[in-house]
Amino acid sequence: MKFLAHFYVVIATIFLILVAALVFYNAPYNIVFYTVLVGQAWWLFTVYKVLTDKYSTNKDFDDWYEDHPVGKE
């Protein structure tokens, strides 16, 4: 995933935290409702952008995990 895809995921997470904070502090219903709608639209946009990202790698399943290579030490 490129940096731009990470940005979309961070913004989606901020929307989720914002909705939780608005509900906790008893914000007016219409503000919470529209924040949820915008957050859901952003989430769909994020999924689209991440899935259509032009990312490629030369790793395969033989490489296993990069932080813990199995059998390649």
Side-chain angles (χ1 to χ4, degrees):
M1 238 179 2
K2 294 181 186 174
F3 174 74
L4 194 58
H6 287 272
F7 170 75
Y8 293 129
V9 172
V10 167
I11 296 298
T13 304
I14 289 172
F15 269 116
L16 180 63
I17 293 169
L18 179 63
V19 167
L22 289 173
V23 170
F24 180 78
Y25 289 113
N26 293 325
Y29 176 78
N30 58 348
I31 293 174
V32 175
F33 178 74
Y34 290 120
T35 305
V36 168
L37 285 181
V38 171
Q40 288 176 350
W42 186 265
W43 178 76
L44 289 173
F45 178 70
T46 299
V47 169
Y48 171 77
K49 292 300 276 185
V50 168
L51 291 178
T52 59
D53 193 16
K54 302 293 183 204
Y55 178 79
S56 64
T57 182
N58 56 0
K59 303 281 186 193
D60 56 10
F61 287 109
D62 291 333
D63 294 322
W64 201 245
Y65 294 107
E66 289 183 6
D67 61 338
H68 186 352
V70 176
K72 291 188 174 185
E73 295 177 5

